[in-house]
Amino acid sequence: MTKHPTAAPAPVQFYNTLVRHKEIFRSLAGRQARIYTCGPTVYNFAHIGNFRAYTFEDILCRTLRYAGYEVQQVMNLTDVDDKTIRGSRQAGVPLKAFTQPFVDAFFADLRTLNIEPAAVYPAATDHVPEMIALIQRLFANGLAYHSEDGSVYFKVAALPAYGKLAHLDLSSLRTGARVAQDEYEKESVGDFALWKAWDASDGDVAWDSPWGRGRPGWHIECSAMGMKYLGETFDLHTGGIDNLFPHHENELAQSEGATGKPFVNYWMHCAHLRVNGEKMSKSLGNFFTLRDLLAKGYAGRELRYVLINGHYRQPLNFTFEAVEAARTSLARIDEFSDRLAEAARTATPAPELPEWAAAYRNLFNTALFDDLNVPEALAALFALVREGNTALQATVLPPSGAAAVRALVADFDRVLGVVSFGRRGANGELPAKVAQLVEARRIARQTKNWAEADRLRDELVRLGWEVRDGKDGQKVKKL
Ligand code: AMP
Ligand code: ZN
């Protein structure tokens, strides 16, 4: 859907975990939508359960763009917490050296899954001063205290709103009970660590603070980075459902406790990816990394298709049959778009969308704008494929109609991100994979990552595309 730049964004509604029902999305600043996404804990390769969360968030950002918003997404990298410190100690390498390969792998995996890059990926270790400043504000507001060992805790009983996101019943809370770990269950609700005093298990991971040497708790990291990049109040905060408690509850408490303002207007959480009915997780050992699956011969877009083909609030069961089915479905869409390109070869510059196709656009948009119903949006796309194939077969689709339907498929794919347009489109657009690499290269150049820019150029050459850098950016030509 090509939007006129001044048109208001289309109405979109989302299920807001804070109020437990769907709400029309209203952004704080007109066309801008500001989103914070809890990113990976870089102590290992992310598994595809994690990527269910990141693809859901990608669909959210893409949908907002498609609806006419300008999206500002921030995704943090948790590179200091209980798990990363434990991992680096076990591996016998400094923390940064331990986490860096997992950061690099994460970015490579995002590209493989055609997940659009966030605007910023702040790392926790680069924001310790902001975390310290935030803890000082909590002290000033009577919400933080020292424990005997020099750690600093958040005083849950001093914030009446505590529990409002996870809907906790705090009547049984034992006041003064404390929990030092980053992750814990609802049964352990209690004062949680904002700053952990150094102990031998931290090795050389420590920062100076007004409370002595130590390191931040996990939750304060996201409060500090979210507010630094998006302001004290922003639109959306997302994560997997396991982030809801304690992580998001604690983030909310710290942020609102410090500022006295609402932290986030809409909280969105995706359900888990499962294997045989159980959450896919590192601790259960029932996980696949993206690399495992690529090594089995599956393509990134096939896995992306599997991950988006379920409503994000419903658990999704991972099976190899689903990946096989994704391959078949994608081949059907690719073939359709190629047939359209062929039929559109003599199209005039003014493509005309037939009425029957416009009806599917309405179905697609309605499904997507109603809390990101991707399965229904895909059903609309397949109905379009079916009817379009029939029209092509009966040669009743004129070239201008074929060009318009192909542009519609490309438009749907701005959100879905799965179609492989085998050749340049009727309107000269690049194949999706090529466009994705060119965009990644643009970002690499912008951030002066020349080695990555060169690597992407080589990858484009392998795909048969030459890229040249000029005054107006990159020029791409089929070799
Ligand atoms: P972590 O690296 O453990 O902090 O998790 C990164 C993201 O993945 C968080 O948003 C988690 O909620 C999410 N996540 C973890 N396991 C799953 C799963 N099996 N299905 C969906 N999301 C998950
Ligand atoms: Zn977080």
Side-chain angles (χ1 to χ4, degrees):
M1 190 172 45
T2 316
K3 281 256 159 202
H4 191 269
T6 55
V12 184
Q13 62 172 345
F14 300 130
Y15 183 91
N16 183 355
T17 313
L18 190 61
V19 294
R20 301 289 200 272
H21 59 76
K22 288 189 208 170
E23 287 184 330
I24 298 282
F25 174 69
R26 290 194 176 81
S27 83
L28 283 160
R31 321 172 57 77
Q32 280 180 26
R34 289 187 298 222
I35 305 186
Y36 187 86
T37 298
C38 287
T41 306
V42 281
Y43 73 112
N44 210 327
F45 295 110
H47 58 68
I48 56 159
N50 301 127
F51 283 110
R52 179 177 199 203
Y54 306 126
T55 45
F56 140 66
E57 286 144 349
D58 183 50
I59 291 284
L60 170 64
C61 292
R62 285 169 177 258
T63 298
L64 286 165
R65 289 194 183 99
Y66 179 78
Y69 287 94
E70 288 156 19
V71 176
Q72 168 83 357
Q73 186 195 13
V74 174
M75 185 191 284
N76 73 293
L77 302 170
T78 300
D79 60 351
V80 53
D81 79 323
D82 296 351
K83 291 191 275 201
T84 44
I85 292 176
R86 203 181 310 129
S88 81
R89 299 269 293 162
Q90 275 165 5
V93 288
L95 187 65
K96 199 85 183 161
F98 173 70
T99 56
Q100 194 58 49
F102 300 120
V103 174
D104 296 341
F106 178 68
F107 288 127
D109 288 355
L110 290 182
R111 277 198 300 276
T112 303
L113 287 172
N114 198 15
I115 291 175
E116 289 183 342
V120 202
Y121 292 96
T125 49
D126 293 331
H127 294 80
V128 176
E130 286 86 345
M131 297 167 203
I132 291 174
L134 192 57
I135 299 170
Q136 285 176 314
R137 286 173 81 177
L138 292 171
F139 266 109
N141 292 350
L143 290 166
Y145 64 91
H146 287 109
S147 66
E148 313 72 48
D149 71 345
S151 293
V152 177
Y153 281 83
F154 185 93
K155 194 172 177 179
V156 165
L159 188 78
Y162 189 83
K164 75 175 178 184
L165 179 61
H167 291 201
L168 302 178
D169 173 12
L170 295 180
S171 52
S172 59
L173 178 67
R174 288 179 294 127
T175 46
R178 265 183 233 142
V179 47
Q181 300 95 307
D182 284 330
E183 289 176 283
Y184 52 93
E185 302 297 324
K186 277 189 189 169
E187 295 69 51
S188 315
V189 64
D191 294 352
F192 56 90
L194 297 166
W195 186 261
K196 303 187 189 194
W198 182 88
D199 72 27
S201 69
D202 290 333
D204 60 359
V205 179
W207 286 262
D208 285 322
S209 82
W211 320 287
R213 279 181 82 66
R215 49 138 173 150
W218 173 35
H219 317 297
I220 199 77
E221 298 181 1
C222 284
S223 290
M225 291 186 278
M227 292 199 280
K228 168 161 183 181
Y229 291 97
L230 296 171
E232 293 189 344
T233 303
F234 53 89
D235 297 302
L236 290 138
H237 195 311
T238 60
I241 192 70
D242 57 325
N243 280 163
L244 174 56
F245 184 86
H247 186 49
H248 289 167
E249 188 67 55
N250 293 352
E251 252 189 72
L252 190 160
Q254 296 162 151
S255 307
E256 298 195 354
T259 67
K261 298 178 195 162
F263 177 41
V264 168
N265 287 340
Y266 303 86
W267 290 85
M268 294 175 70
H269 294 96
C270 75
H272 284 145
L273 184 70
R274 295 181 176 173
V275 185
N276 298 325
E278 279 189 304
K279 177 191 170 188
M280 182 178 284
S281 72
K282 298 261 164 60
S283 53
L284 291 173
N286 61 353
F287 64 91
F288 295 105
T289 64
L290 195 57
R291 279 123 222 279
D292 295 336
L293 297 172
L294 297 177
K296 287 184 192 292
Y298 297 112
R301 69 184 188 119
E302 291 164 352
L303 298 162
R304 177 179 171 94
Y305 187 96
V306 170
L307 294 175
I308 65 174
N309 191 14
H311 193 275
Y312 77 91
R313 283 193 290 117
Q314 299 296 326
L316 182 69
N317 206 35
F318 178 79
T319 62
F320 286 99
E321 290 78 49
V323 197
E324 297 292 340
R327 182 168 287 183
T328 312
S329 302
L330 287 170
R332 192 164 156 75
I333 309 172
D334 291 353
E335 197 186 297
F336 178 58
S337 95
D338 284 351
R339 284 185 77 188
L340 289 169
E342 197 55 40
R345 268 194 308 153
T346 55
T348 53
E352 253 178 69
L353 191 65
E355 242 172 67
W356 59 265
Y360 292 120
R361 179 173 59 196
N362 290 342
L363 283 178
F364 183 89
N365 292 359
T366 304
L368 211 56
F369 295 165
D370 180 10
D371 199 28
L372 311 177
N373 195 335
V374 176
E376 257 184 42
L378 282 170
L381 169 57
F382 281 107
L384 175 88
V385 171
R386 210 172 310 117
E387 193 153 345
N389 274 329
T390 309
L392 285 166
Q393 192 71 33
T395 59
V396 293
L397 191 59
S400 64
V405 174
R406 192 165 192 278
L408 183 62
V409 174
D411 220 15
F412 288 177
D413 200 54
R414 282 171 54 205
V415 178
L416 302 172
V418 289
V419 184
S420 168
F421 297 98
R423 60 198 87 175
R424 262 185 198 269
N427 300 318
E429 69 269 25
L430 294 170
K433 177 74 186 166
V434 174
Q436 184 196 337
L437 292 171
V438 170
E439 172 61 7
R441 190 167 178 275
R442 186 186 65 74
I443 292 165
R445 285 172 52 79
Q446 202 176 35
T447 52
K448 304 207 185 327
N449 188 348
W450 308 119
E452 177 66 358
D454 287 347
R455 192 191 68 73
L456 289 163
R457 177 204 297 273
D458 293 344
E459 203 172 330
L460 282 160
V461 169
R462 275 198 298 280
L463 292 176
W465 294 81
E466 182 192 56
V467 55
R468 288 191 181 190
D469 301 311
K471 256 202 335 295
D472 309 315
Q474 307 175 78
K475 290 261 177 308
V476 188
K477 212 175 85 196
K478 187 104 183 89
L479 283 168

